[in-house]
Amino acid sequence: MRLAADGATPTSRLVLVKDLETDDGYAFELESPLFLAAGDRITFEDHRLVVVRAGEERLWPAGDWSTRCGPGSLRRR
């Protein structure tokens, strides 16, 4: 599922996320899977994932950046 990480576009349904891949070949890998509820918004601030809940509560899930060098291969950033 494609998610917009613009901080404004809400998710349309409940989504289980373990990593988020960008269009330019990077991925943010969460330390543990995260449920995004319908209405949650995501963005990146200072290279960190930020989840904004429908009630405006902000969460900063832990994780690391990596690059996708080929199918199934990861290299830490």
Side-chain angles (χ1 to χ4, degrees):
M1 174 178 187
R2 182 175 280 283
L3 299 173
D6 60 7
T9 306
T11 56
S12 60
R13 60 186 170 140
L14 183 67
V15 179
L16 177 62
V17 178
K18 62 181 183 175
D19 62 13
L20 296 161
E21 189 171 334
T22 66
D23 290 337
D24 59 356
Y26 292 97
F28 187 81
E29 299 177 43
L30 293 157
E31 283 185 7
S32 60
L34 171 70
F35 277 105
L36 297 174
D40 286 354
R41 298 168 307 198
I42 58 172
T43 189
F44 290 99
E45 296 175 2
D46 297 323
H47 302 287
R48 293 180 58 198
L49 175 66
V50 179
V51 177
V52 182
R53 301 285 187 192
E56 298 304 316
E57 175 188 5
R58 296 169 67 84
L59 306 174
W60 293 270
D64 291 310
W65 284 99
S66 64
T67 57
R68 305 270 169 147
C69 299
S73 64
L74 294 175
R75 186 179 341 172
R76 295 278 175 218
R77 192 183 206 191

